[in-house]
Amino acid sequence: MNLNMIDEVRRKKPLVHHITNYVTVNECANITLNMGALPVMAHAPEEVEEMVSMSGALVLNIGTLSKEQILAMILAGKKAASLGIPVVLDPVGAGATRMRTESCLKIMKELPLSAIKGNAAEISILAGLEAQISGVESIGVAHDMKEVAQRLAAEKGYVVAVSGVQDIVTDGKETWLIDNGHSYMGEFVGTGCMAASVLGVFLALKDNPLESAGAGLASFEIAAEIASARNDVQGPGTFYPALMDEARKLTGSVVSSRARITRFQA
């Protein structure tokens, strides 16, 4: 289990191309930068194929989707796939409306994704199960999310990550349960989108996809854990800048020493 990948990220500084939503675009750019990579946010269908060709990974986030944006995602994703560039999907709010669900299913059908990251409701709905979602927030699921994630990953052939109090990362054969993090992460908008950006950062290394996704989420959660313990952090408003500070200072040795991960074969 290689948890030192952030050191390699900082050495390589991969470019991570985002086609993402306008609500959290700044947060996604900042976490990408402070994790050691370089962000670019290019949405126009006329330029996405050219931009992704220069990138180490592509992150697709449907949080504020439109027909033009889905077109751009498909164009960029197909170009990325032709070049062996990893593609991450964040299905924000899948299940809340028919357009969101159908757009995600279209992307999943047409693109050879490397990873999909969502909350419990989003992943459940894309696995064909019922779940409660309000806007983009998961309200409730009535099934074992480890089993759902494992089954979806095995069926699709890529990494599935489920964000929550305990993060689940699986490729259908091996599963990681990550117990780092802090409750402040659920108290301001953007941490889920930022997590998808972090997956893009680490998958850009083109190492083992499961280890890259697991190491990336563990690094993000540990930065949050350290930030939350600072004396100057009094709530979510002061937590966000502290999170960026601690992400910037994070090293592989810190991640390795603090990670609380349980691994098992699916």
Side-chain angles (χ1 to χ4, degrees):
M1 180 168 57
N2 179 12
L3 295 177
N4 297 316
M5 288 185 183
I6 194 166
D7 297 333
E8 187 178 356
V9 169
R10 298 198 193 284
R11 286 193 298 270
K12 293 186 174 180
K13 298 187 184 304
L15 181 68
V16 181
H17 179 190
H18 293 69
I19 302 178
T20 188
N21 74 76
Y22 55 72
V23 176
T24 63
V25 63
N26 186 66
E27 286 80 5
C28 292
N30 279 329
I31 196 63
T32 299
L33 185 63
N34 285 296
M35 280 287 182
L38 301 173
V40 63
M41 277 56 184
H43 293 191
E46 295 82 0
E47 71 165 343
V48 292
E49 291 171 294
E50 184 179 0
M51 185 63 76
V52 79
S53 299
M54 312 172 199
S55 305
L58 172 65
V59 178
L60 307 177
N61 177 310
I62 69 154
T64 51
L65 81 167
S66 65
K67 289 183 178 179
E68 183 181 68
Q69 188 186 63
I70 297 302
L71 170 62
M73 289 180 176
I74 297 295
L75 289 172
K78 288 183 175 180
K79 185 64 173 181
S82 74
L83 297 172
I85 295 168
V87 181
V88 178
L89 172 64
D90 189 348
V92 178
T97 67
R98 186 173 66 182
M99 181 181 180
R100 286 176 184 268
T101 306
E102 291 179 352
S103 295
C104 287
L105 293 174
K106 177 180 175 67
I107 291 169
M108 293 167 68
K109 180 180 179 180
E110 296 194 21
L111 300 183
L113 301 174
S114 299
I116 183 169
K117 182 227 67 77
N119 61 37
E122 292 159 353
I123 296 299
S124 296
I125 288 163
L126 295 179
L129 300 170
E130 292 187 1
Q132 292 179 286
I133 189 164
S134 178
V136 300
E137 299 298 327
S138 177
I139 304 301
V141 295
H143 30 260
D144 186 329
M145 284 311 303
K146 295 189 293 297
E147 294 181 2
V148 173
Q150 288 164 359
R151 187 167 65 250
L152 184 61
E155 176 188 334
K156 297 297 184 182
Y158 47 71
V159 170
V160 174
V162 185
S163 58
V165 175
Q166 180 186 67
D167 292 334
I168 303 165
V169 185
T170 182
D171 62 1
K173 299 175 183 177
E174 181 178 328
T175 300
W176 294 21
L177 306 179
I178 303 170
D179 286 304
N180 296 97
H182 192 271
S183 60
Y184 284 153
M185 298 182 81
E187 295 181 24
F188 73 92
V189 173
T191 50
C193 300
M194 292 158 69
S197 295
V198 171
L199 287 189
V201 168
F202 281 72
L203 285 166
L205 298 178
K206 297 183 175 66
D207 290 329
N208 179 297
L210 176 66
E211 287 207 348
S212 296
L217 283 183
S219 298
F220 183 46
E221 300 283 12
I222 288 165
E225 212 168 65
I226 296 170
S228 69
R230 287 175 32 163
N231 291 333
D232 59 326
V233 171
Q234 302 298 314
T238 47
F239 171 72
Y240 172 71
L243 173 59
M244 293 300 164
D245 289 344
E246 298 306 327
R248 180 65 186 86
K249 295 188 289 186
L250 202 62
T251 64
S253 61
V254 171
V255 176
S256 294
S257 66
R258 294 185 64 116
R260 297 192 301 278
I261 297 173
T262 303
R263 299 165 63 198
F264 58 91
Q265 298 299 312

